[in-house]
Amino acid sequence: MEHELGYKVHDETLILHADHHCEHGYLDMAPPIHVATTFEHGSEYAYARSTQPTRTRVELVLGKLEGGYAVTYGSGLAAMNAVINTVKPKTIALQDGYSGTMHVLENYRHLLDGNVNIVGIEEVGQNEDIDLILIESFSNPLMESVDIGNLASVKPFNCTLVVDSTFASPIVCKPLELGADIVLHSATKFLSGHHDVMGGVVICKESGIQFILQD
C-alpha cells in the first residue's frame, strides 16, 4: 500500500501502526482490550453494539491491509449475511465453496419466496442479469481459485463482485486491488491464528458502503 506521502508502506508496518492515531494520548505498546458496552454521552462512542475502541483498531488495520474500509461482525457468516442483505441481489453467480455461505443464500432466497436466481460463474460475461458475483480466493474446502481480475473486467456494469478471502488472508491476496468491490473474511480462521477468536470482517472499496454496513 502507498502512504499519502508517496512511499510504499509494507504490510508488516501496517499491522503494527495502521491504528496509531487511536492512541488518545496514551501511546500503549500493547493496546488494552475495551470491554465496556456503554460510553459517556457526547463522546466518540455511545454503545458497543455499533462500535467501540477495540473494534475501531481492528477495522483500521484490516481496512489498511486490504486497501479499503472495514466493518467487523460477530462471525464470518454474520459478515456474509450483512453483505447479501446490503446488495440485495436478484441473480447471483456463485462459485462452489463454503457450506455456511450456501445456507445464508438459501435463507435469503426463502425470505424472497424463491425469487432469486443462482447461476455458475461461467455465466459471467454472458448473463447481464447477474448483479452479484460471489467467489472465494481459495475455496473451502477444495482450495480452488478463480481469476478475480478477469471476472472484474467482464462483469455487468451494476454487478457487485464479492470475494471471501478467508483462506488467503490480506497477506497473500488483496482482492480490492484486483477489481473486487467487497472482500470479507471469517476472522475465526487465519486472521486470528490461534482458533480462539470468533469474528468476521467486511472490507469495501467505497466508504459509503461502509456506513450502510455499520447500520
Side-chain angles (χ1 to χ4, degrees):
M1 179 179 179
E2 190 170 281
H3 190 272
E4 54 263 26
L5 296 180
Y7 55 84
K8 180 176 175 59
V9 178
H10 294 282
D11 287 343
E12 295 88 342
T13 301
L14 290 174
I15 290 170
L16 291 173
H17 299 296
D19 61 342
H20 69 92
H21 65 277
C22 291
E23 301 295 350
H24 300 292
Y26 297 109
L27 299 176
D28 302 285
M29 294 300 292
I33 295 174
H34 288 261
V35 297
T37 58
T38 55
F39 299 84
E40 183 177 345
H41 180 70
S43 65
E44 180 179 353
Y45 302 98
Y47 190 48
R49 180 176 59 192
S50 55
T51 190
Q52 48 97 274
T54 301
R55 286 181 62 186
T56 297
R57 286 182 177 275
V58 172
E59 290 168 352
L60 280 169
V61 172
L62 294 177
K64 289 291 186 181
L65 280 173
E66 288 282 11
Y69 304 88
V71 182
T72 50
Y73 294 88
S75 70
L77 289 182
M80 178 64 73
N81 188 65
V83 169
I84 297 299
N85 284 281
T86 297
V87 177
K88 295 180 171 60
K90 294 297 174 58
T91 302
I92 305 170
L94 183 66
Q95 171 199 19
D96 288 337
Y98 182 46
S99 61
T101 298
M102 308 306 164
H103 291 309
V104 170
L105 294 177
E106 284 304 316
N107 288 337
Y108 175 71
R109 289 184 75 181
H110 179 73
L111 289 172
L112 295 183
D113 296 322
N115 295 318
V116 177
N117 296 318
I118 296 180
V119 300
I121 57 171
E122 65 275 3
E123 292 196 23
V124 177
Q126 303 174 19
N127 186 343
E128 291 297 314
D129 292 331
I130 294 172
D131 49 3
L132 173 65
I133 303 170
L134 181 56
I135 60 174
E136 299 175 15
S137 54
F138 296 110
S139 67
N140 179 358
L142 299 180
M143 299 298 288
E144 296 176 342
S145 63
V146 296
D147 189 332
I148 298 172
N150 180 63
L151 288 175
S153 68
V154 300
K155 70 183 181 73
F157 178 72
N158 288 319
C159 177
T160 302
L161 174 55
V162 177
V163 180
D164 182 340
S165 200
T166 294
F167 273 17
S169 85
I171 303 303
V172 175
C173 179
K174 300 184 189 297
L176 298 183
E177 294 182 0
L178 298 174
D181 301 295
I182 296 174
V183 57
L184 62 86
H185 297 268
S186 169
T188 312
K189 301 178 177 71
F190 290 113
L191 285 184
S192 74
H194 300 284
H195 298 278
D196 54 5
V197 170
M198 179 171 285
V201 60
V202 176
I203 305 101
C204 41
K205 189 179 297 183
E206 303 295 336
S207 60
I209 300 177
Q210 176 195 29
F211 295 122
I212 296 172
L213 289 165
Q214 284 174 335
D215 290 338

